[in-house]
C-alpha cells in the first residue's frame, strides 16, 4: 500500500495542490489519512478510481492578465509572459492568453466579458492569474464561485500579496477615486463638447 503526499497525488491527477484541498473541503475527494504532522496522504492504487467520481475537466487553460492604464503596457506583457511560462512548465495544454487594459472596477472589459462567456459555455478548464485582483478589484469572489460551479480550476500564482492590508486599502481607495473622477470629468467634457457644437 503506497501513500502519496498531496503534491504527488496532485501531480498524478494533473491538478493543482489547492484543487485537492478544495475537493477535500467540498467532500469530493478525501485523503486516506494524515501524518502525525497533519499532512494529507492519498492511496496510490485508489486515486484514479476516486477521480472517476470527479467532473472531468475539458476545455482550455486561460491566462488572464490586466493592468489599469496605458503607461503599464510593458507590465501587461510581462504579466502575460509569466502566466504563459507557468502554464507551459506545469504541462497545461490548449493555453490562451487574455489581456485587458482597464480598471479593476470595470466589469465591461472585453477580455473579461469573453472569459466569462467561455466559462458559462463550458469552454474553460482552468483559469490562471498572477493575483486575484488582476481579475477584478472587487467582486472576484463571485467569479470564483462561478468557476467552481462550472468546475473551472483557478490557479493564483501569488496567492498572498506582499503588501500590507493598509497599502491594499489605500490602493483600493485610489482606484475608486480615479474611476469616479474620470467618469465625472468625462461626463463634463462631453457636455462641454455638445455645448460648443450648438
Amino acid at each position: 500500500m503506497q501513500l502519496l503526499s498531496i503534491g504527488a497525488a496532485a501531480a498524478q491527477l494533473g491538478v493543482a495542490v489547492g484543487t485537492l484541498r478544495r475537493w477535500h473541503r467540498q467532500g469530493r475527494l478525501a485523503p486516506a489519512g494524515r501524518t502525525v504532522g497533519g499532512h494529507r496522504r492519498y492511496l496510490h492504487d485508489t486515486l484514479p478510481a476516486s477521480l472517476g467520481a470527479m467532473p472531468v475537466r475539458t476545455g482550455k487553460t486561460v491566462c488572464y492578465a490586466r493592468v489599469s492604464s496605458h503607461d503599464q503596457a510593458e507590465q501587461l506583457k510581462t504579466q502575460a509572459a509569466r502566466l504563459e511560462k507557468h502554464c507551459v512548465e506545469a504541462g497545461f495544454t490548449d493555453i490562451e492568453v487574455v489581456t485587458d487594459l482597464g480598471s479593476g472596477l470595470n466589469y465591461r472589459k472585453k477580455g473579461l466579458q469573453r472569459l466569462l462567456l467561455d466559462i458559462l459555455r463550458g469552454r474553460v478548464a482552468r483559469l490562471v492569474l498572477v493575483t486575484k485582483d488582476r481579475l477584478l478589484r472587487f467582486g472576484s469572489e463571485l467569479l470564483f464561485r462561478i468557476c467552481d460551479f462550472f468546475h473551472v480550476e483557478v490557479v493564483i500564482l501569488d496567492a498572498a500579496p506582499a503588501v500590507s492590508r493598509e497599502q491594499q486599502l489605500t490602493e483600493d481607495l485610489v482606484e475608486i477615486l480615479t474611476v469616479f473622477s474620470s467618469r465625472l470629468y468625462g461626463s463634463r467634457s462631453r457636455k462641454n463638447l455638445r455645448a460648443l457644437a450648438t
Side-chain angles (χ1 to χ4, degrees):
M1 182 177 69
Q2 183 184 0
L3 290 174
L4 300 176
S5 68
I6 190 168
Q12 183 173 327
L13 295 175
V15 298
V17 168
T19 301
L20 282 188
R21 290 193 181 106
R22 187 175 74 247
W23 286 349
H24 185 199
R25 286 195 305 272
Q26 294 169 342
R28 294 180 180 179
L29 182 63
R34 288 183 181 260
T35 66
V36 176
H39 300 288
R40 295 173 177 88
R41 290 293 179 260
Y42 295 83
L43 279 172
H44 177 270
D45 297 336
T46 61
L47 203 54
S50 301
L51 183 62
M54 302 301 299
V56 178
R57 282 200 173 89
T58 57
K60 59 191 172 184
T61 293
V62 177
C63 302
Y64 182 79
R66 179 191 65 81
V67 292
S68 299
S69 60
H70 289 280
D71 59 349
Q72 295 175 309
E74 282 304 313
Q75 290 179 28
L76 184 61
K77 289 178 186 174
T78 304
Q79 194 182 132
R82 180 184 173 197
L83 290 167
E84 191 168 15
K85 180 175 183 282
H86 172 83
C87 291
V88 169
E89 289 175 351
F92 300 153
T93 57
D94 194 9
I95 302 165
E96 179 183 333
V97 178
V98 176
T99 59
D100 263 331
L101 200 151
S103 165
L105 299 176
N106 181 359
Y107 287 73
R108 294 184 299 258
K109 296 183 294 291
K110 287 181 182 177
L112 181 63
Q113 292 289 316
R114 192 171 85 234
L115 169 64
L116 188 54
L117 279 175
D118 279 349
I119 290 171
L120 296 176
R121 290 171 177 159
R123 297 176 182 167
V124 179
R126 187 178 293 105
L127 172 61
V128 187
L129 308 162
V130 173
T131 58
K132 73 173 189 174
D133 71 340
R134 290 300 90 198
L135 189 61
L136 283 169
R137 179 66 78 169
F138 302 109
S140 57
E141 287 77 13
L142 175 61
L143 281 176
F144 293 150
R145 289 289 302 205
I146 291 170
C147 286
D148 194 42
F149 183 82
F150 285 93
H151 310 299
V152 175
E153 178 187 4
V154 178
V155 178
I156 300 173
L157 304 189
D158 299 336
V163 294
S164 67
R165 182 72 182 146
E166 290 77 15
Q167 186 176 342
Q168 287 178 48
L169 290 171
T170 303
E171 288 172 3
D172 288 346
L173 183 58
V174 168
E175 179 108 23
I176 291 168
L177 289 172
T178 302
V179 168
F180 285 101
S181 296
S182 64
R183 285 182 186 173
L184 176 64
Y185 291 121
S187 173
R188 284 182 180 173
S189 66
R190 283 192 295 275
K191 286 178 185 173
N192 290 339
L193 287 172
R194 281 197 297 270
L196 287 171
T198 56

